[in-house]
Structure formats: C-alpha cells, structure tokens
Amino acid sequence: MTFPLAPGAMIGILGGGQLGRMLSLAAARLGFDVTILTPEANAPAGRVSARTLQADYEDPAALDEMARTCAVVTFEFENVPAAAVAHLMKKGVAVAPAAQALAVSQDRLEEKRFANAAGIATVAFSAVDTVADLNAALARMGAPLLLKTRRGGYDGKGQVWVRRPEDAAAAFAEIGERPAIAEAPADFRRELAIIAARGRSGEIALYPLTESHHENGILRRTTAPARGADKALPEAERMAVSLLTALDYVGVMGIELFERDDGKLLLNEFAPRVHNTGHWTLDGCEVDQFEQHIRAVCGWPLGPTRASRGVEMINLLGEEVRAWPRYAAEPETRVWLYGKSEARPGRKMGHVNRMMRPES
Ligand code: AMP
C-alpha cells in the first residue's frame, strides 16, 4: 500500500460505537469510505458508514473481506482480540496503530511496565495472581491499594479498593480472582489528559492539556484547555512524545495523567485510539482528533492542534440525553448524539461542547 492514501479508498474500522461513528464522519469529509466490523446490530458507527460487516471480531470470512477491500484498518476500542489484528496483518493489510500498542494497552500491568521502561512515571504497582500476591503487595506498599483486573476493565469496572489487609481475599473474589494489578493511591489533586498524534513519517502533534472530571470511574466533564497547567505542560508533552516514539505509533492516542499536589505528573493509562477526553476538539480546534486520526493512518500530513477557543465538554449519560432540547437551545453549545436507542444507566449516549466566552 502506498501512502498517502488518495480519497476514494476504503478505511476499515474494528468496533462500531460512538468513536467509530465520529471517525467515520471525519473520514467521509475527507472523501474516504468506511467499513465497520462489529458484532452489534444497528451499531452507532455502522449507521453513518458505507458498509457494515456484522460479525465477531475473529470471524475469518469477515476479516478476509476487510483485508480484501480496505486500504488500511484501524480500531475504535482497544479490546479488539489480538488474533483479529494478526489475521489482518497476515493478509497483508496495513493496520494502524500497530499490534504492539494494542497489546500493551490491553494489559494494565504491561502498560505500566512499558511506561516505566520508557522513562514515564506511574504509581507504584505489583502483579497479583493470587491472594498471597495481594497480601505481599499490602505488606510492601501498605493499604489502601486499588486492585484492578489486568484486562478488560473500563469506566471503573473491574476495580476495587482494598482498604485493610483483612479485606484482601474478599477484594480478589470481587474482581473474579482474575490476573490483576495492585496500585498505590495516586493522591492526585486533579486528573489531566492529553491527546497526541503521530503520523506515518514520525511527525508528532499534541493538543493542549485538558482537565478531566470523573464520577464513579466515568468521565463526566472535560475542561479544555486545562487552567493553570503551564508548569505541567512540558512534562506531559515529554511523556506523550516518549510513548508515541517507543511504540513507533501511528494514529491518535488518548493519555490520562494524574497531577499530584507537588505538581508531579504520573501516567494513569493510555488508549491507542481517539478518546473521550478529546471530544472537545470537535468544536475547539481546526482539526479535531477524529480527522487527525484519519489523516495519520492514511499517511496525510497532520493538522494544527491549537485551541481556537475554550470548551467545556459534558458527557450525556443514560437518561441525561433527554435534556438535548435544552442544550440545543443554547447558542454557545453544540450537541453530539450517538444514535443509541437504549439509554441504560451510565451509558454514553452523547456529549455537548459548550463554548466558553473569551473572558471566562
Ligand atoms: P482507570 O480505568 O484505570 O483509568 O481508572 C478510572 C479512574 O479511577 C481514574 O480516572 C481515577 O479517577 C481512578 N483511579 C485509577 N487509578 C487510581 C489510583 N492508582 N489511585 C487513585 N485513583 C485512581
């Protein structure tokens, strides 16, 4: 495959959620078509894409069809089975980001080890495969510890605080006695995030730092750019550049950080894809994260990342989506809805970007 890809080419996306939907809209604007592979019927991304293959991610016929028809394949969530990516690569199709980024980010333990080896600070942590391992971690690091499954957790799922050593067995049972990681508390004063992009020729573009507000492990709000973050910015940018370079990364990556009271930054985790903390770029930047990702995987030059205005991004979770008429009536607010019919509690149904006035 020769890059840059010319408009008219087909881009494959593994995953059919809202991130795929917004990637597909961005791809269409640049003249590309998109094929979505998703097991879900009526998926948010499929409804705005040229083609949907409804099949399991490891379905060989669906993957073969993708390899035959797509010039490049990317993904919109990181829990795509590694075997699916390996199958596509064996068929000779370009996959971006590459398999290593996916493998590292799928395993919280590997992710932290990789980060530390690349010179990026994280909380102290310990591998936990048994209750004895957890007891040893408690003896070494003290309580409390946050016990997380190594794989498959998201939005605060698969995590439990171990507040006292005597709670170890119950905590390990609560996460299903699965391979896990025990983390020291981050003791952060706030959570920051940075959206980073790397193109096929190795050029890097970084968006401004933003501030994340979580509730019950789910992102509620992003303020962009983060206020008072001048001191944190150089270190955040250094971390982002180290990660992208160490992974020889192509595409957009979402990087979540803790800022401690002493100003020190720690990496929480990274996602090898467009990210909820970057939704503000849709209305705050000339080139948003979705277009940036399409540009990167297609070998186009990266676009500008500076904030043209401040934005407050608010997630609409579950029934909150019913408030769309109120948001739609606000002149400074843009509404993004994902076309999901069932508003389950905590489900990301849409978001709004509220443009901040220059003096605020
Ligand atoms: P995660 O899924 O690992 O990003 O965790 C979800 C949220 O839990 C984070 O955004 C933090 O608010 C919180 N959290 C995660 N890890 C830690 C930690 N080691 N110490 C304190 N809070 C944490």
Side-chain angles (χ1 to χ4, degrees):
M1 191 50 60
T2 48
F3 293 102
L5 284 186
M10 182 72 84
I11 300 172
I13 300 180
L14 303 177
Q18 66 267 17
L19 300 177
R21 179 178 174 103
M22 292 183 275
L23 280 171
S24 193
L25 293 171
R29 233 184 37 233
L30 300 182
F32 293 106
D33 285 321
V34 167
T35 295
I36 299 289
L37 173 59
T38 174
E40 205 188 326
N42 213 16
R47 305 226 301 282
V48 301
S49 299
R51 191 169 181 208
T52 303
L53 299 169
Q54 194 192 336
D56 285 344
Y57 293 116
E58 291 176 273
D59 183 299
L63 291 170
D64 287 349
E65 178 63 7
M66 241 183 166
R68 198 179 63 76
T69 53
C70 296
V72 66
V73 174
T74 187
F75 36 87
E76 61 108 48
F77 88 126
E78 64 272 35
N79 290 320
V80 168
V85 172
H87 187 114
L88 289 166
M89 288 167 71
K90 217 170 72 199
K91 293 275 162 182
V93 64
V95 180
Q100 189 197 7
L102 195 64
V104 171
S105 71
Q106 282 178 349
D107 183 330
R108 293 178 187 283
L109 183 65
E110 290 305 323
E111 187 179 31
K112 287 202 169 50
R113 285 180 175 154
F114 187 88
N116 290 174
I120 298 165
T122 62
V123 291
F125 60 92
S126 231
V128 171
D129 290 320
T130 59
V131 177
D133 291 340
L134 182 52
N135 281 322
L138 286 158
R140 189 170 69 83
M141 298 194 281
L145 293 178
L146 185 53
L147 185 67
K148 302 179 178 177
T149 54
R150 281 173 63 169
R151 293 177 163 272
Y154 68 95
D155 284 349
K157 296 190 176 74
Q159 307 193 2
V160 58
W161 280 102
V162 191
R163 301 197 183 277
R164 302 171 310 166
E166 51 271 38
D167 298 339
F172 194 52
E174 195 171 327
I175 62 154
E177 305 196 343
R178 286 154 61 201
I181 176 173
E183 297 184 9
D187 287 333
F188 55 86
R189 73 172 162 209
R190 61 176 173 166
E191 293 187 77
L192 300 172
I194 188 164
I195 299 292
R198 187 164 177 272
R200 287 201 178 267
S201 55
E203 78 273 27
I204 286 177
L206 305 174
Y207 287 90
L209 261 180
T210 59
E211 188 171 335
S212 310
H213 304 268
H214 290 95
E215 264 168 44
N216 305 320
I218 302 180
L219 184 71
R220 295 303 326 223
R221 235 159 30 86
T222 297
T223 36
R227 309 219 176 141
D230 293 357
K231 276 217 185 104
L233 188 62
E235 174 62 0
E237 294 192 338
R238 188 197 65 78
M239 288 170 147
V241 170
S242 302
L243 259 183
L244 293 173
T245 314
L247 290 164
D248 193 19
Y249 194 84
V250 172
V252 162
M253 175 188 279
I255 303 173
E256 296 188 87
L257 305 167
F258 296 123
E259 184 184 47
R260 292 198 330 200
D261 279 339
D262 59 6
K264 190 172 161 59
L265 290 188
L266 303 175
L267 175 77
N268 173 20
E269 62 179 1
F270 74 87
R273 54 167 170 78
V274 288
H275 197 256
N276 196 170
T277 59
H279 289 2
W280 71 277
T281 62
L282 286 162
D283 297 300
C285 297
E286 285 154 50
V287 169
D288 62 71
Q289 64 163 348
F290 302 98
E291 176 175 339
Q292 194 76 282
H293 186 73
I294 298 296
R295 283 176 176 241
V297 302
C298 293
W300 284 33
L302 298 182
T305 49
R306 119 194 133 73
S308 38
R309 56 183 148 205
V311 174
E312 182 186 38
M313 189 288 306
I314 304 164
N315 272 339
L316 303 178
L317 303 178
E319 293 291 336
E320 289 167 7
V321 72
R322 290 164 173 268
W324 66 264
R326 177 166 63 79
Y327 289 117
E330 290 179 11
E332 301 294 313
T333 300
R334 289 195 70 209
V335 181
W336 294 82
L337 300 176
Y338 308 150
K340 298 180 185 176
S341 46
E342 203 191 328
R344 290 194 294 270
R347 190 176 194 205
K348 290 174 179 167
M349 302 297 291
H351 70 270
V352 297
N353 281 333
R354 246 190 199 137
M355 269 63 92
M356 293 195 267
R357 275 179 242 111
E359 69 273 15
S360 67

